[in-house]
């Protein structure tokens, strides 16, 4: 999903694809789904927190390659959190398109570089959504 091969981030991921996803979220909001900028930023904040943990672990560990394996389970946990927040009956229910986004993205993350690419993609999505979402 995030990289065109094992080495490079796809440029369209940070432009066309992230803008398209932001527009999809807005369409869901118009249809009555309750994705707010705050909810989106909360998830983005969780991902940024995982990045900070990764950086901290890399600084404090002798074996830097182990740092990724320390946070990888928490990255995978994002799927469960998104599923929980999209369940029926929840008053601040998130749209299914957001759950699908998180599931697809997390499924594509296998390495630290994949995680970093996802982080950039998510950052672009938040930026586009914040720009187009009604206040």
């Amino acid at each position: 999903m995030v990289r065109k091969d094992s080495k490079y981030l796809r440029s369209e991921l940070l432009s066309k694809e992230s803008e398209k996803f932001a527009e999809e979220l807005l369409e869901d909001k118009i249809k009555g789904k309750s994705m707010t900028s705050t909810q989106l930023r909360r998830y983005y904040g969780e991902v940024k927190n995982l990045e900070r943990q990764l950086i901290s672990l890399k600084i404090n560990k002798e074996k830097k390659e182990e740092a990724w394996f320390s946070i990888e389970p928490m990255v995978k946990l994002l799927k469960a959190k998104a599923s929980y927040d999209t369940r029926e009956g929840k008053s601040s229910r998130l749209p299914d398109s957001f759950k699908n986004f998180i599931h697809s993205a997390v499924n594509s993350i296998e390495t630290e570089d994949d995680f970093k690419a996802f982080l950039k993609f998510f950052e672009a999505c938040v930026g586009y959504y914040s720009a187009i979402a009604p206040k």
Side-chain angles (χ1 to χ4, degrees):
M1 174 195 162
V2 292
R3 295 188 302 159
K4 61 182 171 185
D5 62 29
S6 61
K7 209 170 179 182
Y8 301 107
L9 182 65
R10 294 183 299 113
S11 62
E12 58 274 357
L13 194 65
L14 304 182
S15 56
K16 294 176 190 169
E17 292 180 31
S18 53
E19 186 173 18
K20 181 181 176 209
F21 176 68
E23 289 169 355
E24 287 174 16
L25 284 179
L26 184 60
E27 287 174 19
D28 284 338
K29 188 173 185 174
I30 292 167
K31 293 175 191 171
K33 303 293 182 184
S34 59
M35 185 68 171
T36 64
S37 293
T38 302
Q39 290 168 317
L40 186 61
R41 285 192 316 270
R42 181 174 57 97
Y43 270 86
Y44 178 68
E46 280 195 52
V47 175
K48 284 297 284 183
N49 186 42
L50 291 172
E51 178 192 39
R52 284 188 288 278
Q53 289 177 33
L54 179 63
I55 291 167
S56 177
L57 286 167
K58 289 179 95 167
I59 290 170
N60 297 322
K61 285 201 172 198
E62 288 180 24
K63 295 183 178 179
K64 295 181 187 326
E65 61 274 2
E66 290 180 9
W68 165 246
F69 296 108
S70 296
I71 69 149
E72 183 183 22
M74 302 314 291
V75 171
K76 301 300 183 182
L77 184 61
L78 289 170
K79 286 172 51 176
K81 290 180 178 187
S83 293
Y84 179 81
D85 286 339
T86 56
R87 76 190 189 288
E88 292 292 329
K90 188 165 187 325
S91 60
S92 60
R93 184 173 180 246
L94 299 178
D96 287 335
S97 61
F98 182 74
K99 177 185 78 171
N100 295 340
F101 159 71
I102 292 293
H103 280 238
S104 174
V106 169
N107 286 341
S108 73
I109 298 172
E110 296 178 8
T111 66
E112 182 180 339
D113 287 338
D114 293 338
F115 174 70
K116 290 176 182 177
F118 165 66
L119 185 62
K120 290 295 181 192
F121 175 61
F122 203 175
E123 179 181 358
C125 292
V126 170
Y128 281 120
Y129 189 77
S130 297
I132 64 173
K135 303 287 181 234

